[in-house]
Amino acid sequence: MPLDYEPGHVPTYRAQVIMCAHHSALFRFEDGRCIEGPCAGAKLDAVAVWLDAQSNVVAHCGGA
């Protein structure tokens, strides 16, 4: 399931962890491990990211 509610905008909680917009599960940035929520202990798949010219984090996650 994608983490974003609006395509391309993955929420964070207090800029400390990634938050799933669908289930409010919380994931650590450093290793993608779920630390709270319905998937506790599970892990996200890693994707390459980079900063664009405006310092936004950009990721290509497949698809069209």
Side-chain angles (χ1 to χ4, degrees), residues 3 24 32 39 41-43 51 53 59 61:
L3 294 173
S24 299
C39 58
K43 202 170 178 183
L51 294 178
C61 300

Side-chain angles (χ1 to χ4, degrees), residues 22 29-30 34-35 42 49:
H22 301 281
F29 282 109
E30 55 272 9
C34 181
I35 56 171
V49 298

Side-chain angles (χ1 to χ4, degrees), residues 28-55:
R28 294 188 301 219
F29 282 109
E30 55 272 9
D31 61 5
R33 177 123 0 241
C34 181
I35 56 171
E36 188 176 311
C39 58
K43 202 170 178 183
L44 298 172
D45 294 331
V47 296
V49 298
W50 63 92
L51 294 178
D52 68 11
Q54 292 77 38
S55 296

